[in-house]
Amino acid sequence: MNTPPSGASNDHAPHLYEHQAPIEPARPVRAVGSAAAHTTTRLADEFFYLAHDDQTGRPRLFESATAHGLAAALLAELYREGRVTFEGRHVRVINTVPPKDWLQHLVLDRLVAEPRHTATRTWLAFLATTACEQVITRMWQVGLLRPEQVGRLWRQRTVYVPTDVNTAAWSWARLSFQLRNYQPLNAFDQTLAGLALHTQLDPILLDGTPLAVRSFLRHQIDQVPAPLRDLLADLGAVVGGAVLSHRTS
């Protein structure tokens, strides 16, 4: 298989389809060249790296946590682009000018098309149904990931392996080093660390560190703007509920 799969089913949130959803833009031709030339600065891409092994592409989190983390990262990208904000437990569009990035554009279009649905948790659930496939597609387009078949012949599945291990490991190494050495994070990494914490990825990221490092992590995340703290709180609640369901099922 040479291309990522199409978007997953959206049966989890049928109430959001009272209006026809925008059609995903046609997939452009995959970029030619090394992944190093396309170093990512997008939150969802970097969270994808954090949530997967940098050599094998195997997940570090269970599927629901990864999907909701990517959904929150896409919303955070729109916040960083000045298109949305978060107030309490609701997301509000503040600028409808389409972003240059096709996936950000698609998410914004969906928010605009459903003005009656503003609950952040509703949007996290809705976007989580397709976030993984769409982020994989975006990363594949610029040469950051490649598909690989794993497993026995009769039980094969596709994983998406980083094309450059150094690029894939950089997010993890950067956060881990700075936190373990009590170095302040910039605004981007504070948000990325918040995504890691609220998807319960932090025990792996900070494995073997004293409690003081975990306190420092929380202190850094507390520095993000109030709207992003609201988004992260909703993400933590959704993932926490999913973890409990996962453990008791």
Side-chain angles (χ1 to χ4, degrees):
M1 182 168 68
N2 295 321
T3 60
S6 59
S9 168
N10 295 300
D11 293 340
H12 296 79
H15 59 287
L16 288 174
Y17 280 100
E18 295 172 4
H19 305 289
Q20 184 177 0
I23 298 173
E24 184 171 326
R27 184 177 299 156
V29 176
R30 182 179 182 275
V32 177
S34 76
H38 306 287
T39 303
T40 180
T41 56
R42 295 176 298 205
L43 276 166
D45 296 9
E46 293 222 359
F47 178 76
F48 184 92
Y49 278 145
L50 286 182
H52 295 82
D53 185 270
D54 51 68
Q55 297 188 43
T56 67
R58 296 180 184 274
R60 291 178 168 129
L61 296 170
F62 68 94
E63 185 177 356
S64 180
T66 301
H68 284 93
L70 289 171
L74 290 172
L75 290 173
E77 286 184 15
L78 287 179
Y79 174 83
R80 287 174 55 83
E81 292 291 326
R83 300 311 196 271
V84 305
T85 191
F86 306 94
E87 298 173 344
R89 295 295 177 257
H90 298 270
V91 56
R92 182 168 66 89
V93 176
I94 57 176
N95 185 346
T96 60
V97 175
K100 293 181 180 179
D101 178 80
W102 71 261
L103 182 49
Q104 293 174 4
H105 185 175
L106 182 64
V107 174
L108 181 62
D109 279 354
R110 288 175 172 170
L111 288 165
V112 171
E114 296 290 349
R116 290 181 296 171
H117 300 288
T118 62
T120 304
R121 294 189 194 183
T122 298
W123 281 105
L124 287 173
F126 173 65
L127 295 173
T129 62
T130 55
C132 192
E133 290 83 0
Q134 291 170 337
V135 171
I136 285 173
T137 297
R138 186 171 70 175
M139 296 177 73
W140 172 84
Q141 288 169 353
V142 293
L144 295 173
L145 299 176
R146 59 179 173 82
E148 184 174 292
Q149 297 294 320
V150 298
R152 297 183 182 274
L153 181 62
W154 56 90
R155 296 186 63 184
Q156 279 195 339
R157 59 190 177 87
T158 303
V159 297
Y160 290 87
V161 181
T163 55
D164 186 289
V165 173
N166 291 328
T167 300
W170 175 236
S171 305
W172 187 277
R174 184 179 73 247
L175 283 183
S176 181
F177 178 83
Q178 291 179 102
L179 292 169
R180 291 168 189 264
N181 289 277
Y182 302 99
Q183 295 181 2
L185 305 179
N186 62 27
F188 182 95
D189 281 348
Q190 286 173 349
T191 306
L192 185 61
L195 294 169
L197 174 67
H198 289 283
T199 53
Q200 303 186 17
L201 191 58
D202 56 303
I204 308 173
L205 179 65
L206 300 181
D207 184 43
T209 61
L211 289 177
V213 176
R214 300 174 190 274
S215 297
F216 181 71
L217 167 63
R218 291 185 175 275
H219 173 72
Q220 289 297 298
I221 296 168
D222 285 343
Q223 307 307 307
V224 304
L228 283 179
R229 290 201 301 272
D230 288 340
L231 170 64
L232 293 172
D234 278 320
L235 172 63
V238 170
V239 171
V243 168
L244 181 61
S245 175
H246 180 74
R247 290 174 177 170
T248 56
S249 59

